[in-house]
Amino acid sequence: MCGIAGIFHNSPNSVTNERIRMMTDAIAHRGPDGAGSWINEDQHLALGHRRLSIIDLSDSGHQPMHYAEGRYTITYNGEIYNYLELKEMLTKQGYEFVSNSDTEVLLALYDAKKEACLNLLDGMFAFAIWDSREKTLFFARDRFGEKPFHYAYSPGECFIFGSEMKSIWAYGQKKEVNNKMYYRYLAYGEIMHEEDLAETFFEGIKRLKPAHYGKIGFPDLTLQIQSYWTLNRIAIDENISQIQAVERFRELFLNSVTRRLRSDVPVGSSLSGGLDSSLVVCAIDHLSLGNHRQHTFSARFPGFSKDEGEFMNKVITRVNASAHFAFPNGNDFLTRLQEIAWHQEEPFGSASICVQNDVMRLAKERNIKVLLDGQGADEILAGYPYYFYSFFRELKKGNRTIFNTQLSEYHKLSGNGNAHNVYPYSFKTRVKNTLPDSLVRQIIRTKRKIDDLKDPFINRDFSQAYRVDGSKWPINPDTLNLSLQQSVSGSGLQELLRYADRNSMAHSREVRLPFLSHEFVEFVFSLPAAFKISNGWTKYLMRLAFKDILPNEITWRKDKIGYEPPQQQWMQNKAVIDFTNSMKEKLIKDRILSAAILDERPDRARSIYENKNWQILVSGMLF
């Protein structure tokens, strides 16, 4: 886990040691264990690196790293979890290695397979490899987008890249707000553009999409980018039995955890009290046969109704973990928020990001460099209540007997009726469900445009200049898998992964996610919907597969909370209120907000009022 940066320019005067070092210094928090830079002999390319030592702590793992008598040079951020298996395969093919690092394995694999190497990697990564013979720069990002890669490109002139946008600004790129994205955030609360995940909140800077790679050659500096992996072609295995599915599910997940425990530094776990992080902790204990006392890191809110301490303690007691707790409060909320905004670079959804940041800080204080976490499980295993929409829609179009049985079981489990309002019977909803998605989207767009014209929140001139429609994902997907595919490949998971990357790297920690093994995910997507949701339970197969190692209260837990802090209380801090009000006045002066925002009162619509205040607060921190 590290930070990377690079300059590829047709003018040698623009490629200097000073510039590349300024770029890596801007992201020194990503790699405090070492720094390196390299310029090719033609002085058209510079690669920079900040190192966080995790595997092979010796100087042999130093980057930028050269390979094949200097033909290839790499700057790389991430972990290749199956590097030992790949190294064995390459050794049999005649490749030799001088280090124990996964970086050298990646270089050898690229030499052997070129861009096809990406299909063999189980890991999280963002890297760039220079081929001095072909005079091409190859760069890639992992399938799910766990590791970031940002770039600024001027056709025929230059290609500047970095783990974070700070590096690109340090190079000299102007920091100019993308007002269309800003509008999306203010009007719809959108943090990413669903239809173009490459777009950022800053003009001239793009992000490489997950599961994509690119090439750019010298001297023409023509950029080519394309996808190398997708979920939409995975066929459903209708013949697999539940017993077979449970066995394979368990095997693949435990294998994923095993690989993600490979490290030359201490490894711990983030524990929230929910099913996903609890399973990670219990799986580690199961694999070690209880012979290793692991470290867990959690956030607590004593006295708050959504404190998860009761469930955390059940897991901690079960595995006899050495537990560490952070106790976030609102006393220094504004100061912490400003620091977090600097690291995040773009808007974030709630104060839960601050809680995650505190957990990472705690891990740093306890000298645990690597944390396993449960992110990704909700998106691949239908962990959120809204997945019931697609689930019941799919069943209704299939076997009506199964549909009626499942709906009845859902009602029984939810207590009395529609607990999450996931299958409403109102006339309005029935009409909506019978209309084509394209017509529903058009109706929503028209309504939003009408709402924009009478919305007192945004300045009319700003709205007319930068107004765009909200993202247009299909409404109520016909199948559960399509809904899950949208979650995994869309903005929802991307936002969570960006939060985790920036929060962990702010404290020079590494987060590893066992649920995002692509082999495991592909298997889950090959399963029928009833294996993921059944009898009213989300994540049904996971509960069955690991009920023997999880506390029963966690296995069959119905509520879902996660790290939800007392944000409403924190927002009432006088310093936060004063800062928010000052930002309102500034944004009114800048003709971004309307003066009518000053007339908003919480008693009119509390949720809308609080969301607006959060957006204004975060905007003030970032822009």
Side-chain angles (χ1 to χ4, degrees), residues 3-7 18-30 48-50 150-152 160-173 205 342 345:
I4 64 174
I7 307 168
E18 180 182 7
R19 273 191 156 172
I20 193 64
R21 286 170 184 166
M22 288 173 63
M23 293 175 72
T24 56
D25 285 350
I27 54 172
H29 50 278
R30 298 186 71 92
H49 189 262
R50 294 292 312 208
H150 296 87
Y151 65 91
I160 314 300
F161 68 89
S163 294
E164 299 178 17
M165 290 184 279
K166 297 174 187 65
S167 290
I168 299 173
W169 294 325
Y171 170 81
Q173 174 80 16
I205 299 181
W342 185 84
E345 298 183 322

Side-chain angles (χ1 to χ4, degrees), residues 144-318:
F144 301 102
E146 293 180 63
K147 293 294 99 189
F149 189 103
H150 296 87
Y151 65 91
Y153 174 56
S154 296
E157 182 182 347
C158 67
F159 179 78
I160 314 300
F161 68 89
S163 294
E164 299 178 17
M165 290 184 279
K166 297 174 187 65
S167 290
I168 299 173
W169 294 325
Y171 170 81
Q173 174 80 16
K174 186 177 180 181
K175 190 176 182 179
E176 183 178 349
V177 177
N178 176 353
N179 282 323
K180 287 187 176 180
M181 282 297 294
Y182 197 4
Y183 178 86
R184 287 181 181 277
Y185 179 58
L186 295 176
Y188 308 123
E190 292 187 6
I191 293 174
M192 297 187 76
H193 184 182
E194 193 74 66
E195 296 168 83
D196 184 9
L197 297 179
E199 189 171 6
T200 73
F201 275 81
F202 295 93
E203 294 287 354
I205 299 181
K206 298 285 188 180
R207 65 173 61 87
L208 183 63
K209 296 178 185 179
H212 279 67
Y213 71 83
K215 286 184 177 181
I216 184 168
F218 187 81
D220 60 316
L221 268 69
T222 298
L223 179 63
Q224 299 176 324
I225 294 177
Q226 67 183 72
S227 169
Y228 67 87
W229 182 80
T230 182
L231 283 167
N232 62 12
R233 289 191 288 270
I234 297 177
I236 303 296
D237 183 356
E238 301 289 356
N239 297 317
I240 191 171
S241 69
Q242 186 176 93
I243 293 176
Q244 291 172 323
V246 164
E247 290 177 351
R248 184 62 175 156
F249 185 101
R250 186 176 175 112
E251 175 190 359
L252 287 172
F253 184 75
L254 290 177
N255 182 59
S256 178
V257 173
T258 299
R259 286 182 174 179
R260 281 153 182 80
L261 289 172
R262 291 172 173 173
S263 171
D264 293 330
V265 297
V267 178
S269 298
S270 175
L271 176 63
S272 69
L275 177 60
D276 310 331
S277 65
S278 297
L279 175 56
V280 172
V281 172
C282 290
I284 294 172
D285 184 71
H286 174 75
L287 289 167
S288 68
L289 301 177
N291 295 325
H292 172 70
R293 191 177 189 192
Q294 60 180 301
H295 293 266
T296 62
F297 296 86
S298 309
R300 292 285 312 276
F301 308 99
F304 182 50
S305 60
K306 295 182 178 180
D307 176 66
E308 294 279 82
E310 174 189 353
F311 296 99
M312 294 173 189
N313 287 332
K314 291 184 183 300
V315 176
I316 291 164
T317 300
R318 177 71 170 256

Side-chain angles (χ1 to χ4, degrees), residues 318-524:
R318 177 71 170 256
V319 304
N320 190 30
S322 179
H324 309 276
F325 297 101
F327 297 91
N329 59 71
N331 294 337
D332 57 350
F333 180 51
L334 188 64
T335 301
R336 289 162 52 227
L337 201 61
Q338 289 172 321
E339 177 188 342
I340 291 166
W342 185 84
H343 283 285
Q344 290 289 332
E345 298 183 322
E346 296 182 284
F348 43 99
S350 72
S352 63
I353 309 307
C354 304
V355 178
Q356 186 185 56
N357 188 275
D358 280 355
V359 171
M360 298 302 163
R361 178 184 288 108
L362 180 64
K364 182 175 184 178
E365 292 172 355
R366 299 296 187 270
N367 198 33
I368 300 295
K369 256 188 176 180
V370 177
L371 293 180
L372 270 63
D373 206 332
Q375 285 183 326
D378 288 318
E379 289 76 14
I380 66 172
L381 289 164
Y384 298 118
Y386 56 73
Y387 288 121
F388 280 106
Y389 281 105
S390 300
F391 175 67
F392 285 124
R393 194 175 187 185
E394 179 178 350
L395 292 185
K396 190 175 183 181
K397 291 184 178 181
N399 188 310
R400 290 301 295 262
T401 300
I402 296 176
F403 166 77
N404 289 329
T405 300
Q406 285 290 328
L407 188 60
S408 174
E409 291 299 316
Y410 165 76
H411 286 156
K412 290 178 184 177
L413 186 65
S414 62
N416 183 20
N418 255 344
H420 301 297
N421 198 33
V422 298
Y423 200 77
Y425 292 92
S426 68
F427 175 77
K428 178 180 177 181
T429 302
R430 286 183 178 181
V431 171
K432 178 180 175 182
N433 285 341
T434 59
L435 295 176
D437 286 349
S438 58
L439 180 56
V440 174
R441 290 199 299 269
Q442 183 60 45
I443 293 172
I444 292 175
R445 286 199 297 269
T446 302
K447 181 179 183 301
R448 279 176 167 172
K449 289 179 179 179
I450 295 173
D451 290 343
D452 288 347
L453 294 176
K454 61 183 181 181
D455 186 357
F457 180 26
I458 302 175
N459 179 279
R460 181 68 58 84
D461 293 337
F462 186 82
S463 177
Q464 290 181 342
Y466 301 108
R467 183 176 65 221
V468 292
D469 293 338
S471 293
K472 310 178 188 65
W473 274 119
I475 308 300
N476 293 340
D478 287 329
T479 68
L480 177 60
N481 252 18
L482 179 57
S483 184
L484 294 171
Q485 181 187 325
Q486 291 175 5
S487 295
V488 173
S489 304
S491 64
L493 181 59
Q494 290 308 296
E495 292 166 17
L496 295 177
L497 294 179
R498 190 247 291 175
Y499 302 156
D501 172 79
R502 301 305 192 282
N503 274 331
S504 60
M505 297 310 294
H507 302 288
S508 309
R509 304 299 96 179
E510 176 173 292
V511 172
R512 298 177 174 184
L513 307 176
F515 287 102
L516 293 186
S517 156
H518 72 278
E519 188 178 8
F520 174 73
V521 172
E522 289 168 355
F523 171 72
V524 171

